[in-house]
Amino acid sequence: MGWGESKGVFLLITDLPPYVPIATQIPQAAGAAWASKYKNESACSLVYFGDGATSDHV
């Protein structure tokens, strides 16, 4: 089996996206927190992300 080959489907490196967005929920949570602060609301913004969101895979 070649690289990316699975059940008769073969993917070339050009078939993959140039990047995969990870941890995109972090800026959204920061925006929600800022909006709550701007509105003088008593609220807490919380975000969870996995180990892969911080790994640089070098």
Side-chain angles (χ1 to χ4, degrees):
M1 292 182 80
W3 185 88
E5 188 175 350
S6 170
K7 297 181 183 176
V9 177
F10 188 79
L11 299 174
L12 298 174
I13 196 94
T14 58
D15 293 334
L16 299 174
Y19 61 90
V20 178
I22 55 173
T24 57
Q25 69 272 28
I26 297 171
Q28 294 172 356
W34 182 82
S36 294
K37 183 176 180 178
Y38 183 77
K39 294 178 184 179
N40 289 324
E41 296 175 342
S42 178
C44 176
S45 294
L46 188 64
V47 65
Y48 290 97
F49 55 93
D51 293 338
T54 59
S55 177
D56 59 5
H57 301 290
V58 176

Coordinates of all heavy atoms in Angstrom, one line a residue:
M1 N 0.8 -1.2 0.0 CA 0.0 0.0 0.0 C 0.9 1.2 0.0 O 1.8 1.3 0.7 CB -0.9 0.0 1.2 CG -2.0 -1.1 1.2 SD -3.0 -1.0 2.7 CE -4.1 0.3 2.1
G2 N 0.5 2.2 -0.8 CA 1.3 3.4 -0.9 C 0.8 4.4 0.1 O -0.1 4.2 0.9
W3 N 1.4 5.6 0.1 CA 1.1 6.7 1.0 C -0.3 7.1 0.8 O -0.7 7.5 -0.3 CB 2.0 7.8 0.8 CG 1.8 8.9 1.8 CD1 2.3 9.0 3.0 CD2 1.0 10.1 1.7 NE1 1.9 10.2 3.7 CE2 1.0 10.8 2.8 CE3 0.1 10.5 0.7 CZ2 0.3 12.0 3.0 CZ3 -0.6 11.7 0.8 CH2 -0.5 12.4 2.0
G4 N -1.2 7.1 1.8 CA -2.5 7.5 1.7 C -3.5 6.5 1.0 O -4.6 6.8 0.8
E5 N -3.0 5.4 0.6 CA -3.8 4.4 0.0 C -4.6 3.6 1.0 O -4.1 3.1 2.0 CB -2.9 3.4 -0.8 CG -3.7 2.5 -1.7 CD -2.8 1.7 -2.6 OE1 -1.6 1.9 -2.6 OE2 -3.4 0.7 -3.2
S6 N -5.9 3.6 0.8 CA -6.8 2.9 1.7 C -8.0 2.4 0.9 O -8.7 3.2 0.3 CB -7.3 3.8 2.8 OG -8.3 3.2 3.5
K7 N -8.2 1.1 0.9 CA -9.4 0.5 0.2 C -9.5 1.0 -1.3 O -10.6 1.4 -1.7 CB -10.7 0.8 1.0 CG -10.7 0.3 2.3 CD -12.0 0.6 3.0 CE -12.0 0.1 4.5 NZ -13.2 0.4 5.2
G8 N -8.4 1.0 -2.0 CA -8.4 1.3 -3.4 C -8.4 2.8 -3.7 O -8.5 3.2 -4.9
V9 N -8.4 3.6 -2.7 CA -8.4 5.1 -2.9 C -6.9 5.6 -2.6 O -6.4 5.3 -1.6 CB -9.4 5.8 -2.0 CG1 -9.3 7.3 -2.2 CG2 -10.8 5.3 -2.3
F10 N -6.3 6.2 -3.6 CA -5.0 6.7 -3.4 C -5.0 8.2 -3.5 O -5.5 8.8 -4.4 CB -4.0 6.2 -4.5 CG -2.6 6.5 -4.3 CD1 -1.9 5.7 -3.4 CD2 -2.0 7.5 -4.9 CE1 -0.5 6.0 -3.1 CE2 -0.7 7.8 -4.7 CZ 0.1 7.0 -3.8
L11 N -4.5 8.9 -2.4 CA -4.4 10.3 -2.3 C -3.0 10.8 -2.6 O -2.1 10.3 -2.0 CB -4.9 10.8 -0.9 CG -6.3 10.4 -0.5 CD1 -6.5 10.9 0.9 CD2 -7.3 11.1 -1.4
L12 N -2.9 11.8 -3.4 CA -1.6 12.4 -3.6 C -1.4 13.5 -2.7 O -2.4 14.1 -2.1 CB -1.5 12.9 -5.1 CG -1.6 11.9 -6.2 CD1 -1.6 12.5 -7.5 CD2 -0.4 10.9 -6.1
I13 N -0.2 14.0 -2.5 CA 0.1 15.1 -1.5 C -0.7 16.4 -2.0 O -1.1 17.2 -1.1 CB 1.6 15.3 -1.4 CG1 1.9 16.2 -0.1 CG2 2.2 16.0 -2.6 CD1 2.2 15.4 1.1
T14 N -0.9 16.5 -3.3 CA -1.7 17.7 -3.8 C -3.2 17.6 -3.5 O -3.9 18.6 -3.6 CB -1.4 17.9 -5.3 OG1 -1.9 16.7 -5.9 CG2 0.0 18.1 -5.6
D15 N -3.7 16.5 -3.1 CA -5.1 16.3 -2.8 C -5.4 16.8 -1.4 O -6.6 16.9 -1.0 CB -5.5 14.9 -2.9 CG -5.4 14.4 -4.3 OD1 -5.5 15.2 -5.3 OD2 -5.3 13.2 -4.5
L16 N -4.4 17.0 -0.6 CA -4.7 17.5 0.8 C -4.8 19.0 0.9 O -4.2 19.7 0.1 CB -3.5 17.0 1.7 CG -3.4 15.4 1.8 CD1 -2.2 15.1 2.6 CD2 -4.6 14.8 2.3
P17 N -5.5 19.5 1.9 CA -5.6 21.0 2.0 C -4.2 21.6 2.4 O -3.4 20.9 3.0 CB -6.6 21.2 3.1 CG -6.6 19.9 3.9 CD -6.3 18.9 2.9
P18 N -3.9 22.8 2.0 CA -2.6 23.4 2.4 C -2.4 23.6 3.9 O -1.3 23.7 4.3 CB -2.6 24.8 1.6 CG -4.0 25.1 1.4 CD -4.7 23.7 1.3
Y19 N -3.5 23.7 4.6 CA -3.4 23.8 6.1 C -4.7 23.3 6.7 O -5.7 23.2 6.0 CB -3.1 25.2 6.5 CG -4.2 26.2 6.1 CD1 -5.3 26.4 6.9 CD2 -4.2 26.8 4.9 CE1 -6.4 27.2 6.5 CE2 -5.2 27.7 4.5 CZ -6.3 27.9 5.3 OH -7.3 28.7 4.9
V20 N -4.6 22.9 7.9 CA -5.8 22.4 8.6 C -6.0 23.3 9.8 O -5.1 23.4 10.7 CB -5.7 21.0 9.1 CG1 -6.9 20.5 9.8 CG2 -5.4 20.1 7.9
P21 N -7.0 24.1 9.9 CA -7.2 25.0 11.0 C -7.5 24.2 12.3 O -8.3 23.3 12.3 CB -8.4 25.9 10.7 CG -9.1 25.1 9.6 CD -8.1 24.2 8.9
I22 N -6.7 24.6 13.4 CA -6.9 23.9 14.7 C -7.1 25.0 15.7 O -6.6 26.1 15.5 CB -5.7 23.0 15.0 CG1 -4.4 23.7 15.0 CG2 -5.7 21.8 14.1 CD1 -3.3 22.9 15.5
A23 N -7.7 24.7 16.8 CA -7.9 25.6 17.9 C -8.6 26.9 17.5 O -8.3 28.0 18.1 CB -6.6 25.9 18.6
T24 N -9.5 26.9 16.5 CA -10.2 28.1 16.1 C -11.2 28.6 17.1 O -11.6 29.7 17.0 CB -10.9 27.9 14.8 OG1 -11.8 26.8 14.9 CG2 -9.9 27.5 13.7
Q25 N -11.5 27.8 18.1 CA -12.4 28.2 19.1 C -11.8 29.2 20.1 O -12.5 29.9 20.9 CB -13.0 27.0 19.9 CG -12.1 26.3 20.8 CD -11.3 25.2 20.1 OE1 -11.0 25.2 18.9 NE2 -10.9 24.2 20.8
I26 N -10.5 29.3 20.2 CA -9.8 30.1 21.2 C -10.1 31.6 20.9 O -10.5 32.4 21.8 CB -8.3 29.8 21.3 CG1 -8.1 28.4 21.8 CG2 -7.6 30.8 22.2 CD1 -6.7 27.9 21.7
P27 N -9.9 32.1 19.7 CA -10.2 33.5 19.4 C -11.7 33.8 19.6 O -12.1 34.9 19.9 CB -9.8 33.7 17.9 CG -8.9 32.6 17.6 CD -9.2 31.5 18.5
Q28 N -12.6 32.8 19.3 CA -14.0 33.0 19.5 C -14.3 33.2 20.9 O -15.1 34.1 21.3 CB -14.8 31.8 18.9 CG -14.7 31.7 17.4 CD -15.3 30.5 16.8 OE1 -15.7 29.6 17.5 NE2 -15.3 30.4 15.5
A29 N -13.7 32.4 21.8 CA -13.9 32.6 23.2 C -13.4 33.9 23.7 O -14.0 34.6 24.6 CB -13.2 31.4 24.0
A30 N -12.2 34.3 23.2 CA -11.7 35.6 23.6 C -12.7 36.8 23.2 O -12.9 37.7 23.9 CB -10.3 35.8 23.0
G31 N -13.2 36.6 22.0 CA -14.2 37.6 21.5 C -15.5 37.6 22.4 O -16.0 38.7 22.7
A32 N -15.9 36.5 22.8 CA -17.1 36.4 23.7 C -16.8 37.0 25.0 O -17.6 37.7 25.6 CB -17.5 35.0 23.9
A33 N -15.6 36.8 25.6 CA -15.2 37.4 26.8 C -15.1 38.9 26.7 O -15.6 39.7 27.6 CB -13.8 36.8 27.3
W34 N -14.5 39.4 25.6 CA -14.4 40.9 25.4 C -15.8 41.5 25.3 O -16.0 42.6 25.8 CB -13.6 41.1 24.2 CG -13.4 42.6 24.0 CD1 -12.5 43.4 24.6 CD2 -14.1 43.5 23.1 NE1 -12.6 44.7 24.2 CE2 -13.6 44.8 23.2 CE3 -15.2 43.2 22.2 CZ2 -14.1 45.8 22.5 CZ3 -15.7 44.3 21.5 CH2 -15.2 45.6 21.7
A35 N -16.7 40.8 24.6 CA -18.1 41.3 24.4 C -18.8 41.4 25.8 O -19.5 42.4 26.0 CB -18.9 40.5 23.4
S36 N -18.6 40.4 26.6 CA -19.2 40.5 27.9 C -18.6 41.6 28.8 O -19.4 42.3 29.5 CB -19.0 39.1 28.7 OG -19.7 38.1 28.0
K37 N -17.3 41.8 28.7 CA -16.7 42.9 29.4 C -17.2 44.2 28.9 O -17.5 45.1 29.7 CB -15.2 42.8 29.3 CG -14.5 43.8 30.1 CD -13.0 43.6 30.1 CE -12.3 44.7 30.9 NZ -10.8 44.5 30.9
Y38 N -17.3 44.4 27.6 CA -17.7 45.6 27.0 C -19.2 46.0 27.4 O -19.5 47.1 27.6 CB -17.6 45.5 25.4 CG -18.0 46.7 24.7 CD1 -17.1 47.7 24.6 CD2 -19.2 46.8 24.0 CE1 -17.4 48.9 23.9 CE2 -19.5 48.0 23.3 CZ -18.6 49.0 23.2 OH -18.9 50.1 22.5
K39 N -20.0 45.0 27.5 CA -21.4 45.2 27.9 C -21.6 45.3 29.5 O -22.7 45.4 30.0 CB -22.3 44.0 27.4 CG -22.4 44.0 25.9 CD -23.2 42.8 25.5 CE -23.3 42.6 24.0 NZ -24.1 41.4 23.7
N40 N -20.5 45.2 30.2 CA -20.5 45.2 31.7 C -21.3 44.0 32.2 O -22.0 44.2 33.2 CB -21.0 46.5 32.2 CG -19.9 47.6 32.0 OD1 -18.7 47.3 32.1 ND2 -20.4 48.8 31.7
E41 N -21.3 42.9 31.6 CA -22.0 41.7 32.1 C -21.2 40.9 33.0 O -19.9 40.9 33.0 CB -22.4 40.8 30.9 CG -23.3 41.4 29.9 CD -23.6 40.5 28.7 OE1 -22.8 39.6 28.5 OE2 -24.6 40.8 28.0
S42 N -21.8 40.3 34.0 CA -21.1 39.4 34.9 C -21.1 38.0 34.3 O -22.1 37.2 34.6 CB -21.8 39.4 36.3 OG -21.1 38.6 37.2
A43 N -20.1 37.7 33.5 CA -20.1 36.4 32.8 C -18.7 35.9 32.8 O -17.7 36.6 33.0 CB -20.6 36.6 31.4
C44 N -18.6 34.6 32.5 CA -17.3 33.9 32.4 C -17.2 33.2 31.1 O -18.2 32.5 30.7 CB -17.1 33.0 33.6 SG -15.6 32.0 33.5
S45 N -16.2 33.4 30.3 CA -16.0 32.6 29.1 C -15.0 31.5 29.3 O -13.9 31.8 29.9 CB -15.5 33.6 27.9 OG -16.5 34.5 27.6
L46 N -15.3 30.4 28.8 CA -14.4 29.2 29.1 C -14.2 28.5 27.7 O -15.2 28.3 27.0 CB -15.1 28.3 30.1 CG -14.3 27.1 30.6 CD1 -13.1 27.6 31.4 CD2 -15.2 26.3 31.5
V47 N -13.0 28.0 27.5 CA -12.7 27.3 26.2 C -11.9 26.1 26.6 O -11.0 26.2 27.4 CB -12.1 28.2 25.2 CG1 -10.7 28.7 25.6 CG2 -12.0 27.5 23.8
Y48 N -12.2 25.0 25.9 CA -11.4 23.8 26.0 C -10.7 23.5 24.7 O -11.4 23.7 23.6 CB -12.3 22.6 26.4 CG -12.8 22.7 27.8 CD1 -14.0 23.2 28.1 CD2 -12.0 22.2 28.9 CE1 -14.5 23.2 29.4 CE2 -12.5 22.3 30.2 CZ -13.7 22.8 30.4 OH -14.2 22.8 31.7
F49 N -9.5 23.0 24.7 CA -8.9 22.5 23.5 C -7.9 21.4 23.8 O -7.4 21.3 24.9 CB -8.1 23.7 22.7 CG -7.2 24.4 23.6 CD1 -5.8 24.1 23.6 CD2 -7.6 25.5 24.4 CE1 -4.9 24.8 24.3 CE2 -6.7 26.2 25.1 CZ -5.3 25.9 25.1
G50 N -7.7 20.5 22.9 CA -6.9 19.3 23.1 C -5.4 19.6 22.9 O -4.9 20.6 22.6
D51 N -4.6 18.5 23.2 CA -3.2 18.6 23.1 C -2.7 18.9 21.6 O -1.7 19.6 21.5 CB -2.6 17.2 23.4 CG -2.7 16.9 24.9 OD1 -2.9 17.9 25.7 OD2 -2.7 15.7 25.3
G52 N -3.5 18.5 20.6 CA -3.1 18.8 19.3 C -3.2 20.3 18.9 O -2.6 20.7 17.9
A53 N -4.0 21.0 19.7 CA -4.1 22.4 19.4 C -2.9 23.2 19.8 O -2.7 24.3 19.3 CB -5.3 23.0 20.2
T54 N -2.0 22.7 20.6 CA -0.8 23.4 21.0 C 0.5 22.8 20.5 O 1.5 23.4 20.6 CB -0.7 23.5 22.5 OG1 -0.7 22.1 23.0 CG2 -1.9 24.2 23.1
S55 N 0.4 21.7 19.8 CA 1.5 21.0 19.3 C 2.0 21.6 18.0 O 1.2 21.8 17.1 CB 1.2 19.5 19.1 OG 2.3 18.8 18.6
D56 N 3.3 21.8 17.8 CA 3.8 22.3 16.6 C 4.3 21.2 15.7 O 4.7 21.5 14.5 CB 4.9 23.3 16.8 CG 6.1 22.8 17.6 OD1 6.1 21.6 17.9 OD2 7.0 23.6 17.9
H57 N 4.4 20.0 16.1 CA 4.7 18.8 15.3 C 6.1 18.9 14.6 O 6.2 18.6 13.5 CB 3.7 18.4 14.3 CG 2.3 18.2 14.9 ND1 2.1 17.0 15.6 CD2 1.2 18.9 14.9 CE1 0.8 17.0 16.1 NE2 0.3 18.2 15.7
V58 N 7.0 19.5 15.3 CA 8.4 19.6 14.7 C 9.2 18.5 15.1 O 9.2 18.0 16.2 CB 9.0 21.0 15.2 CG1 10.4 21.1 14.7 CG2 8.2 22.1 14.7

